[in-house]
């Protein structure tokens, strides 16, 4: 089961005012299919009680070639690749009903022990069922490293609420994108689709944490840096272009 495949139909909550799928919906679909793949090989959400282990997302790179619309059927394919002791990578392809490639993505993951929150070594017992593939969706590769900008144009403050917290008791990875959108200037938010999304997660955010979301523009790139209230801890960097 090297390549896992799932069918998905774009729903009402997946589209924005243009009737096109949103970036958050895309990430949600990819995340869900990744979870289904892990579930099928015994390392998914329903297996946590037995394994005491959970996958943690470290980064995204997503490129939207064309945006599906409401009620469109999609075929999502995903596979694991390049396992080592600490991290693994997962790639995705999304096709429309006419078998056109409309979205491609890659992601970086690690695993923790939910009892201790410590990293777990990715042993053959964990990795072998995935039947790791070698092909990369981005031929030139991608290291998931985004440099923190020295200068910031603007910022917003936010206090983390219950609605932001996931099963691992920290802010769910999708909501980092929400934070980034709130930090964008109005004219930037309203005039861009952001067909390229890159996210680097560095440190988890927990309930009641106060965070600062800094906005920077670098040529055609819009960068949001999420840090702790005291500016000492880097939580994530999101790049939209």
């Amino acid at each position: 089961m090297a390549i896992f495949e799932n069918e998905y139909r774009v729903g009402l909550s997946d589209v924005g005012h243009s009737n096109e799928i949103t970036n958050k919906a895309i990430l949600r679909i990819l995340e869900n299919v990744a979870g289904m793949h892990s579930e099928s090989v015994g390392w998914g959400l329903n297996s946590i009680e037995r394994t005491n282990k959970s996958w943690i997302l470290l980064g995204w790179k997503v490129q939207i070639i064309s945006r599906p619309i409401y009620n469109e059927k999609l075929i999502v394919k995903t596979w694991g690749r390049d396992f080592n002791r600490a991290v693994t990578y997962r790639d995705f392809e999304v096709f429309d009903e006419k078998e056109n490639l409309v979205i491609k993505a890659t992601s970086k993951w690690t695993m923790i022990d939910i009892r201790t929150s410590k990293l777990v070594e990715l042993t053959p017992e964990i990795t072998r069922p995935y039947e790791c593939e070698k092909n990369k969706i981005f031929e030139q590769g991608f290291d998931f490293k985004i440099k923190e900008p020295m200068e910031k144009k603007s910022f917003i403050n936010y206090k983390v609420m219950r609605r932001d917290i996931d099963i691992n008791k920290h802010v769910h990875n999708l909501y980092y994108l929400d934070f980034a959108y709130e930090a964008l200037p109005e004219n930037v938010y309203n005039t861009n689709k952001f067909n390229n999304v890159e996210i680097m997660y560095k440190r988890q955010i927990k309930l009641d944490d106060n965070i600062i979301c800094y906005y920077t523009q670098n040529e055609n790139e819009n960068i949001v840096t999420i840090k702790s209230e005291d500016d000492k801890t880097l939580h994530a960097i999101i790049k939209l272009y």
Side-chain angles (χ1 to χ4, degrees):
M1 196 178 292
I3 297 179
F4 183 85
E5 183 175 317
N6 189 69
E7 186 177 295
Y8 185 84
R9 190 169 293 276
V10 179
L12 184 62
S13 63
D14 298 323
V15 299
H17 66 274
S18 61
N19 196 35
E20 295 176 330
I21 196 169
T22 65
N23 286 347
K24 185 177 180 180
I26 291 170
L27 292 184
R28 182 170 58 246
I29 293 166
L30 300 183
E31 177 188 61
N32 283 335
V33 175
M36 293 174 192
H37 186 192
S38 287
E39 195 64 47
S40 72
V41 297
W43 293 100
L45 191 61
N46 289 333
S47 304
I48 289 179
E49 186 175 348
R50 171 180 57 85
T51 65
N52 292 308
K53 296 176 178 62
S54 177
W55 288 107
I56 299 294
L57 185 61
L58 300 178
W60 282 112
K61 177 178 172 62
V62 181
Q63 181 181 354
I64 297 97
I65 301 165
S66 64
R67 287 188 181 269
I69 61 173
Y70 172 69
N71 204 38
E72 190 168 352
K73 186 177 74 173
L74 305 176
I75 301 297
V76 185
K77 297 182 180 182
T78 186
W79 60 93
R81 64 169 176 83
D82 296 340
F83 281 96
N84 61 43
R85 289 185 176 183
V87 299
T88 183
Y89 301 86
R90 173 177 290 280
D91 287 358
F92 302 83
E93 291 179 322
V94 182
F95 297 87
D96 63 15
E97 292 178 321
K98 297 180 181 179
E99 299 185 350
N100 298 310
L101 178 64
V102 294
I103 300 165
K104 59 182 182 179
T106 188
S107 55
K108 182 179 181 180
W109 303 75
T110 191
M111 182 176 274
I112 63 166
D113 188 310
I114 62 170
R115 298 163 298 184
T116 63
S117 296
K118 293 183 178 180
L119 295 181
V120 172
E121 181 181 352
L122 299 181
T123 62
E125 178 191 4
I126 296 171
T127 62
R128 191 180 297 113
Y130 287 93
E131 300 179 34
C132 186
E133 292 282 317
K134 294 183 179 180
N135 56 308
K136 297 180 179 180
I137 195 66
F138 295 104
E139 293 182 1
Q140 296 180 348
F142 182 69
D143 61 10
F144 296 90
K145 294 178 181 179
I146 307 175
K147 188 175 181 180
E148 181 179 351
M150 295 296 293
E151 298 181 3
K152 281 90 172 180
K153 284 191 172 184
S154 59
F155 69 91
I156 64 166
N157 294 293
Y158 182 77
K159 183 175 181 177
V160 175
M161 302 182 185
R162 294 172 183 169
R163 65 189 180 192
D164 303 318
I165 302 302
D166 68 7
I167 191 173
N168 293 311
K169 297 183 180 180
H170 55 66
V171 172
H172 190 74
N173 74 85
L174 295 180
Y175 296 144
Y176 287 75
L177 187 60
D178 287 335
F179 301 161
Y181 280 143
E182 293 298 333
L184 296 177
E186 197 71 19
N187 65 310
V188 174
Y189 176 77
N190 287 328
T191 58
N192 292 272
K193 291 186 177 181
F194 306 120
N195 289 325
N196 292 274
V197 178
E198 298 177 21
I199 304 177
M200 178 183 72
Y201 302 100
K202 292 296 290 183
R203 186 68 63 86
Q204 65 183 7
I205 306 173
K206 296 183 178 181
L207 181 64
D208 293 329
D209 281 355
N210 290 294
I211 58 173
I212 305 176
C213 303
Y214 295 100
Y215 169 73
T216 306
Q217 188 172 46
N218 181 17
E219 297 180 351
N220 69 323
E221 296 178 343
N222 299 278
I223 303 171
V224 176
T225 305
I226 302 177
K227 305 191 75 173
S228 58
E229 187 178 28
D230 62 7
D231 207 49
K232 294 181 179 179
T233 301
L234 174 63
H235 291 295
I237 302 178
I238 299 94
K239 186 185 294 186
L240 305 163
Y241 55 101

